[in-house]
Amino acid sequence: MPTINKSKIDYNKRNLTDQTLLKLYYNMLKPRLIEEKMLILLRQGKISKWFSGIGQEAISVGVTMALKPSEYILPMHRNLGVFTTRQIPLQRLFCQWQGKLSGFTKGRDRSFHFGSQEYNIIGMISHLGPQMGVADGIALGNILKNNGNVTAVFSGEGGTSEGDFHEALNVASVWQLPVIFCIENNGYGLSTPTEEQYNCKHLADRGKGYGIDSFILDGNNIIETYTKVQKLAESIRKRPRPILIEFKTFRRRGHEEASGTKYVPEALMTEWESKDPIENYRSYLFSEKILTQQIENTYSTEIKADIEQSLALAYAEPDIIADETTELNDVYKSSNYEHFSPCENKKELRLIDAISEGLKQSMEKHKDLVIMGQDIAEYGGVFKITEGFVAQFGKGRVRNTPICESAIVETAMGLSISGIKSVVEMQFADFATSGFNPIVNYLAKSYYRWQQEADVVIRMPCGGGVAAGPFHSQTNEAWFTKTPGLKIVYPAFPYDAKGLLATAINDPNPVLFFEHKALYRSIRQDVPINYFTISFGEAALLKEGEAVTIISYGAGVHWALETLEKNPKISADLIDLRTLQPLDKDNIINSVKKTGRAIILQEDSLFGGIASDISALLMEECFEYLDAPVKRVASMETPIPFINQLETQYLAKSKFENALNELLLY
Ligand SMILES: Cc1ncc(C[n+]2csc(CCOP(=O)(O)OP(=O)(O)O)c2C)c(N)n1
Ligand SMILES: [Mg+2]
């Protein structure tokens, strides 16, 4: 029988019932016993990787028990207690870790990298920090739905050094979002001790800088953790606002099991071992005569039986059989959203007006659609696309954001988890770099990983010819066409922009919507006045001819049109791709099979751009039909410069006519 020492932690059970006190114990014991089993399995080589939460159980369990089951929790890699306290069947957890079908990711992601709408748990991506911005989005969803719910999100002290932490706290404070930010300060981030991680006394002190109330709690004291979080949650439900809590605790095992703890001073380890949250609580409950040996035995027998049975079931489940179609079908959420036809009644609009009108009509159609961006509210955005929107839709749905692209993309992800669509306006497409991680890692991969759609459109004012230099002129679609999971739209005309934007917003997948700034006010067209949609993946054949196929998109389409106007004798198919992902391969291939010549014009610099991929596609699919090598025309391999003569030299426009004539003469 285990010995019962006097508790080293001061507990005060206040008015908690024995039943609650025991429940807290049971809920801590469960992850501990699972971990002990995992360590054995790890030694036997039966599981691959394990991040231990031993010694930190009071935080996961205290926070989870303090929240309602309907409230979202966003845990990290040491929060097994969140999952078990929410009573996820162990069989499913074990299947997740074994990469079996009954897990949560169909073998596509490991360990705690999953979420579950069924249990209101949103698991992490490896990058740690993005969780906090996603929590902001879920909390914003709660505010907009006025449901009084609180959201809790976890981070290690290491994760607080990431920009995401700072952005998320700032946004939560500016918007008074009901989020409990829980920092588990366990002394180390991998091998890095706290003094090499940050240079302030307490991380909780950072709350002050953001205008957020913050607290320091003994993360090993389950009663303190549970009661304080419960009280704070109750208060936040009534008066929404963010709270920062720093839980002081210690990581008792290696960063992950295989990496050991050699760099941790032994004395420190011994000291924290004596502060074990379960052992001490157990002693306390025994001393209060709340826990008896008999109850303890019952708990432990029950949990161990559950572990053994669930493990047996998980091991018995057949391995996943790799199937390409299954994998490819799960990159994008398929959707049968309704299509709307354009009406006869038209009005001449500039590209910019068409986008504005399309956005406004989508705001009218989707009553909860939220748009977010810098200066988009009263100011109307730097290009004035959202002018007048606040007056019509209110500040709740038309949201000025601080300058924090990462947090806003993450917030959009959180809104999607709440079932709310959003459009994010990048002030300039160039600044998407500051939100790059959540775009390519969170939004793009979420559906494939655990079937959570990222119902987000990111508007990308892009492109050169505006004498704006290297950071306000890029057309950076190729950074994103590379990434499975994203859809990329790039209209060249007002009509297409309006219809495609409506589709982008209807589509449940993450869509990057490129808007060429040089076309905003220079291109006009008659556009149907009603709300209408245009299908993705359908290129437009702008001109029909016999001698050559010209393939382009965005400003390139207009450069090609100008060139053809200047050279009326050239008989060409001119294809405007309109969407780059999905790409209308059939129409490209069929046209080139007909003409036998292909030239691809892209505004971006050449290497690694979409032109290269289309060229390769044509080599593979049309080789025997080609009368000349496929030609790519693109801008120079330099950053895009500012001054007119340099920019003109840089841009592909000046090279296109020659290249086309050369190709025709081949
Ligand atoms: C952006 C990023 N950089 C580095 C890593 C590698 N990494 C994973 S966990 C970790 C330490 C995290 O420390 P902390 O936030 O304190 O959490 P703890 O592991 O201590 O619970 C590191 C460096 C990562 N996953 N993501
Ligand atoms: Mg840490």
Side-chain angles (χ1 to χ4, degrees), residues 37-323:
K37 181 72 186 180
M38 288 302 136
L39 296 187
I40 296 169
L41 294 177
L42 197 72
R43 267 177 242 128
Q44 295 171 345
K46 289 186 178 159
I47 53 168
S48 56
K49 197 161 181 156
W50 188 258
F51 295 96
S52 173
I54 283 182
Q56 300 179 220
E57 292 94 341
I59 305 167
S60 299
V61 172
V63 171
T64 309
M65 279 187 67
L67 262 60
K68 299 180 193 162
S70 59
E71 292 174 323
Y72 282 97
I73 301 183
L74 294 88
M76 299 300 291
H77 48 293
R78 293 188 206 288
N79 297 118
L80 172 59
V82 170
F83 297 84
T84 50
T85 303
R86 283 264 159 111
Q87 293 179 8
I88 292 188
L90 296 189
Q91 181 197 350
R92 292 204 67 193
L93 273 184
F94 297 156
C95 281
Q96 168 62 22
W97 302 334
Q98 299 294 326
K100 301 273 176 97
L101 209 54
S102 301
F104 291 85
T105 61
K106 305 187 189 177
R108 292 167 188 165
D109 207 343
R110 60 185 185 176
S111 62
F112 295 103
H113 293 190
F114 69 93
S116 162
Q117 288 281 9
E118 202 182 337
Y119 297 95
N120 294 310
I121 290 176
I122 307 301
M124 63 192 289
I125 67 166
S126 288
H127 300 68
L128 317 166
Q131 284 293 78
M132 291 174 272
V134 176
D136 280 357
I138 295 173
L140 176 59
N142 290 333
I143 291 275
L144 295 171
K145 293 177 194 166
N146 199 16
N147 62 12
N149 278 352
V150 160
T151 301
V153 61
F154 289 87
S155 172
E157 85 292 342
T160 69
S161 301
E162 292 188 63
D164 304 75
F165 170 81
H166 302 273
E167 291 190 12
L169 258 67
N170 186 49
V171 170
S173 182
V174 172
W175 290 355
Q176 288 294 284
L177 300 175
V179 182
I180 304 179
F181 293 95
C182 305
I183 304 172
E184 287 188 72
N185 191 340
N186 62 4
Y188 288 87
L190 216 153
S191 75
T192 306
T194 50
E195 63 271 20
E196 290 180 34
Q197 190 69 248
Y198 58 86
N199 187 21
C200 58
K201 194 157 180 227
H202 302 292
L203 286 170
D205 296 342
R206 299 217 154 136
K208 210 179 189 67
Y210 295 107
I212 294 179
D213 287 339
S214 62
F215 304 87
I216 296 173
L217 297 183
D218 175 358
N220 285 26
N221 182 334
I222 181 68
I223 297 183
E224 183 175 322
T225 298
Y226 169 63
T227 52
K228 184 72 185 176
V229 176
Q230 196 181 44
K231 206 167 140 206
L232 286 171
E234 207 38 66
S235 161
I236 296 169
R237 286 180 197 117
K238 292 197 194 93
R239 182 166 69 84
R241 64 195 190 281
I243 295 280
L244 177 64
I245 304 176
E246 180 180 3
F247 295 96
K248 303 281 190 190
T249 186
F250 198 73
R251 198 194 71 204
R252 298 250 302 277
R253 303 199 61 91
H255 168 64
E256 41 104 10
E257 270 313 315
S259 65
T261 53
K262 256 200 206 137
Y263 48 84
V264 181
E266 227 177 275
L268 207 53
M269 197 64 103
T270 317
E271 183 195 332
W272 280 95
E273 263 167 27
S274 73
K275 291 189 207 161
D276 185 84
I278 302 179
E279 276 305 310
N280 283 292
Y281 188 52
R282 178 171 166 274
S283 303
Y284 170 72
L285 292 181
F286 264 104
S287 68
E288 294 287 312
K289 307 212 167 4
I290 296 166
L291 182 65
T292 63
Q293 195 57 54
Q294 195 192 353
I295 299 175
E296 163 123 55
N297 291 347
T298 314
Y299 284 180
S300 144
T301 311
E302 182 187 306
I303 295 168
K304 283 181 177 164
D306 188 8
I307 293 173
E308 292 305 328
Q309 278 165 17
S310 305
L311 266 178
L313 288 170
Y315 279 122
E317 185 171 312
D319 287 338
I320 286 175
I321 296 165
D323 172 58

Side-chain angles (χ1 to χ4, degrees), residues 415-665:
L415 281 174
S416 182
I417 289 168
S418 302
I420 296 175
K421 286 177 177 293
S422 62
V423 175
V424 174
E425 175 176 303
M426 287 290 159
Q427 201 155 68
F428 287 82
D430 310 68
F431 304 141
T433 38
S434 294
F436 193 70
N437 181 40
I439 296 173
V440 300
N441 283 320
Y442 219 126
L443 303 187
K445 296 170 178 45
S446 176
Y447 189 73
Y448 177 71
R449 291 169 57 241
W450 60 281
Q451 284 73 66
Q452 172 58 54
E453 71 262 29
D455 195 349
V456 179
V457 175
I458 302 180
R459 294 189 30 244
M460 302 277 279
C462 66
V466 289
F471 306 116
H472 287 77
S473 308
Q474 294 172 89
T475 179
N476 48 7
E477 67 282 1
W479 299 349
F480 303 99
T481 46
K482 172 74 200 80
T483 305
L486 299 175
K487 293 193 178 182
I488 314 292
V489 179
Y490 205 141
F493 293 94
Y495 178 98
D496 290 344
K498 185 177 169 187
L500 288 168
L501 182 59
T503 304
I505 292 168
N506 284 337
D507 195 295
N509 297 286
V511 181
L512 274 79
F513 191 87
F514 286 83
E515 307 168 2
H516 202 291
K517 303 188 297 287
L519 306 183
Y520 266 162
R521 292 182 166 80
S522 63
I523 302 298
R524 294 166 178 272
Q525 196 180 27
D526 285 341
V527 181
I529 61 164
N530 71 326
Y531 173 89
F532 67 95
T533 55
I534 295 173
S535 297
F536 285 175
E538 291 179 13
L541 185 61
L542 301 183
K543 288 207 179 289
E544 261 189 279
E546 301 302 324
V548 61
T549 300
I550 304 169
I551 301 154
S552 194
Y553 57 98
V557 172
H558 298 281
W559 301 344
L561 279 168
E562 267 178 50
T563 308
L564 290 178
E565 249 162 59
K566 216 174 125 194
N567 298 275
K569 290 208 184 91
I570 298 177
S571 166
D573 267 5
L574 173 57
I575 295 179
D576 171 5
L577 294 172
R578 303 201 292 188
T579 66
L580 307 183
Q581 173 55 256
L583 186 67
D584 188 351
K585 292 180 187 164
D586 288 349
N587 271 319
I588 300 170
I589 290 167
N590 290 338
S591 167
V592 174
K593 281 184 178 170
K594 179 186 78 176
T595 63
R597 281 182 163 80
I599 184 165
I600 310 146
L601 171 59
Q602 116 193 338
E603 178 178 331
D604 194 7
S605 51
L606 185 66
F607 191 82
I610 197 97
S612 301
D613 254 283
I614 293 173
S615 168
L617 174 80
L618 293 174
M619 302 298 186
E620 285 164 3
E621 300 291 330
C622 307
F623 185 75
E624 277 143 29
Y625 297 83
L626 289 172
D627 298 324
V630 174
K631 183 83 192 151
R632 297 171 299 161
V633 183
S635 296
M636 281 171 65
E637 294 293 314
T638 66
I640 176 165
F642 151 55
I643 200 74
N644 180 270
Q645 56 276 30
L646 293 183
E647 191 183 28
T648 305
Q649 170 183 268
Y650 164 87
L651 286 172
K653 182 179 182 181
S654 57
K655 290 169 233 161
F656 181 65
E657 188 175 355
N658 272 350
L660 178 62
N661 283 319
E662 270 174 29
L663 177 66
L664 289 166
L665 290 174

Side-chain angles (χ1 to χ4, degrees), residues 302-374:
E302 182 187 306
I303 295 168
K304 283 181 177 164
D306 188 8
I307 293 173
E308 292 305 328
Q309 278 165 17
S310 305
L311 266 178
L313 288 170
Y315 279 122
E317 185 171 312
D319 287 338
I320 286 175
I321 296 165
D323 172 58
E324 283 191 10
T325 313
T326 309
E327 297 310 292
L328 290 169
N329 282 346
D330 273 356
V331 176
Y332 298 95
K333 182 170 183 172
S334 61
S335 39
N336 300 316
Y337 44 84
E338 199 183 342
H339 279 283
F340 293 81
S341 306
C343 66
E344 296 295 320
N345 198 351
K346 291 180 182 163
K347 188 172 66 183
E348 192 188 78
L349 295 178
R350 299 171 303 174
L351 182 77
I352 195 160
D353 309 320
I355 293 168
S356 179
E357 190 173 286
L359 190 56
K360 188 186 283 182
Q361 289 178 353
S362 283
M363 288 288 279
E364 286 161 354
K365 179 172 161 26
H366 302 284
K367 298 287 179 224
D368 58 356
L369 172 64
V370 170
I371 54 178
M372 299 182 284
Q374 288 148 31

Side-chain angles (χ1 to χ4, degrees), residues 4-10 274 279-280 283-284 287:
I4 298 156
N5 299 318
K6 191 173 164 355
S7 170
K8 291 209 166 52
I9 296 174
D10 267 344
S274 73
E279 276 305 310
N280 283 292
S283 303
Y284 170 72
S287 68

Side-chain angles (χ1 to χ4, degrees), residues 381-394:
V382 291
F383 299 105
K384 303 294 173 201
I385 282 183
T386 52
E387 192 144 56
F389 278 39
V390 172
Q392 188 176 347
F393 305 107

